[in-house]
Amino acid sequence: MTMTDTFGRRIDNLRISVTDRCNFRCRYCMPPEGIRWVPHKEVLRFEEITTVARNFLALGGRKIRLTGGEPLLRSEIEILVRQLAALPGLEDLSLTTNGALLAGKAHALWDAGLRRINISLDTLNPLRFQWVCLRDALREVWAGFEAACAVGFGIKLNSVVLAGVTEAEVCELIDLAVERGIEVRFIEFMPLCGSGWSPDLWFSMDTVRNWLMARWRLLPLERGSAPAQSYAIEGTRARVGFIESLSKPFCGDCARVRLTATGKLRLCLFSPLEYDLRPYLYDDAALQSRLQEAIVHKPAGHAAHTVAEWQGETMPRIQVIGG
């Protein structure tokens, strides 16, 4: 069985937000004053998350990624990892984190069955880090990175390239990737829910790619439905990827949907449309029908395909389709 939307895309990748809370205030993601947190009673319990995941896999899903907010803020997250890792049909389970709490969680996550981690790391400079994240936490993030390396996780570093801020460290991050045999994925700055859009911070991935190609030979890898176009760096174990959501949208191959911490299925990161799954959590047949109904309405792409179209814009209000 497979889930296919009206544009012929097979939807097999579920991103699960286990919490809306975060211990950083990254400028490209959240206002400095933060946002109003969802009351704890409204957040899905682990058993409810596992129910959605189990039914998603039963319909042909293959991949699950845990996100947030910051997922390691969720108490005993390793229990959820263990529940998900045991589900039939799961081919890939991963987690995205800012890394600040990872040093104390790496072994427990590995023992629970997690094998891949993405760590957000935009800069290796403590002052730039504090400016971007509004937190003096580079030391903790680096400790988390080192712990993940020591345990043996497959690691990707996610780095948002900001004009005049982090662009200067592109080659330094690649040097780190080459040294550790990991992948760095450079990400375009893009408008996210709850943040203002500052076009002056946008930096071209073509420029970054050209910088790297002047120093290394990049061998393109098959992309499939991945958000990043990745390359092997010849003569090394390292890889580099580019996520170009605005300048080169990959919507035509998108295979992802997102489960919010409150039980809404969101069809696209930039879409205002959400489907409430809570009323269906205790009836597998009804839940699977609801998932299929929602996926049919996955949009062809996000609303704007150029940086210019986003100038001065913020995200639209969310529209929830209830039960």
Side-chain angles (χ1 to χ4, degrees):
M1 182 180 295
T2 61
M3 292 174 287
T4 304
D5 68 13
T6 54
F7 303 97
R9 296 171 296 194
R10 178 184 175 184
I11 309 304
D12 62 4
N13 192 318
L14 180 63
R15 307 292 176 95
I16 299 176
S17 175
V18 298
T19 180
D20 65 324
R21 298 174 188 252
C22 190
N23 46 353
F24 285 8
R25 296 292 181 271
C26 299
R27 292 177 184 268
Y28 50 74
C29 185
M30 188 182 295
E33 67 276 12
I35 60 176
R36 187 179 71 85
W37 305 124
V38 171
H40 181 71
K41 64 182 181 180
E42 296 180 18
V43 175
L44 290 181
R45 296 181 290 107
F46 287 165
E47 292 76 11
E48 294 172 322
I49 293 173
T50 302
T51 293
V52 175
R54 174 171 54 78
N55 282 280
F56 182 81
L57 295 171
L59 290 172
R62 299 185 301 121
K63 301 178 181 180
I64 292 174
R65 175 178 296 279
L66 299 178
T67 68
E70 169 48 47
L72 298 189
L73 285 174
R74 186 73 187 260
S75 178
E76 299 184 308
I77 185 67
E78 61 273 16
I79 294 177
L80 176 62
V81 169
R82 190 177 302 278
Q83 291 176 2
L84 295 175
L87 291 176
L90 181 64
E91 297 179 14
D92 182 74
L93 176 64
S94 57
L95 178 145
T96 295
T97 174
N98 62 34
L101 302 174
L102 184 54
K105 285 284 189 178
H107 282 283
L109 291 169
W110 178 274
D111 291 344
L114 190 69
R115 293 296 180 265
R116 292 204 307 112
I117 289 182
N118 287 14
I119 301 173
S120 298
L121 184 61
D122 303 321
T123 171
L124 300 173
N125 179 289
L127 294 179
R128 290 194 189 109
F129 186 98
Q130 189 166 0
W131 186 89
V132 172
C133 301
L134 298 182
R135 292 291 183 270
D136 182 13
L138 180 58
R139 182 177 300 178
E140 289 83 355
V141 174
W142 185 257
F145 170 68
E146 292 281 21
C149 289
V151 169
F153 283 106
I155 297 173
K156 293 179 182 178
L157 296 182
N158 291 340
S159 180
V160 178
V161 181
L162 301 174
V165 184
T166 63
E167 64 175 271
E169 295 185 65
V170 165
C171 290
E172 188 173 354
L173 286 167
I174 292 296
D175 286 337
L176 176 62
V178 170
E179 175 189 337
R180 300 299 182 100
I182 61 176
E183 179 171 343
V184 174
R185 303 195 306 176
F186 294 113
I187 303 171
E188 282 184 341
F189 174 58
M190 52 188 169
L192 294 173
C193 187
S195 68
W197 165 234
S198 300
D200 290 344
L201 290 176
W202 185 86
F203 195 80
S204 168
M205 289 295 104
D206 284 337
T207 300
V208 174
R209 191 182 285 106
N210 290 336
W211 285 351
L212 300 183
M213 291 176 66
R215 183 173 172 186
W216 293 279
R217 186 180 179 202
L218 305 184
L219 307 175
L221 301 171
E222 184 178 351
R223 181 171 188 165
S225 63
Q229 174 59 64
S230 294
Y231 299 79
I233 302 177
E234 188 177 48
T236 77
R237 295 181 296 118
R239 295 181 174 187
V240 60
F242 302 94
I243 299 179
E244 302 165 90
S245 298
L246 295 187
S247 63
K248 295 185 178 70
F250 45 85
C251 304
D253 296 316
C254 181
R256 291 166 296 285
V257 291
R258 300 167 185 271
L259 179 68
T260 72
T262 57
K264 312 297 191 305
L265 191 73
R266 195 168 190 181
L267 304 174
C268 169
L269 179 62
F270 291 100
S271 172
L273 187 64
E274 293 180 344
Y275 283 76
D276 192 0
L277 300 184
R278 273 189 180 275
Y280 308 90
L281 292 178
Y282 299 96
D283 183 333
D284 284 354
L287 179 56
Q288 290 184 24
S289 178
R290 182 64 163 172
L291 286 167
Q292 291 174 314
E293 174 195 354
I295 284 168
V296 166
H297 293 93
K298 182 174 171 64
H302 55 68
H305 285 179
T306 69
V307 176
E309 288 177 283
W310 279 107
Q311 188 167 356
E313 296 294 327
T314 55
M315 290 296 292
R317 294 184 63 183
I318 301 301
Q319 177 187 2
V320 178
I321 309 299

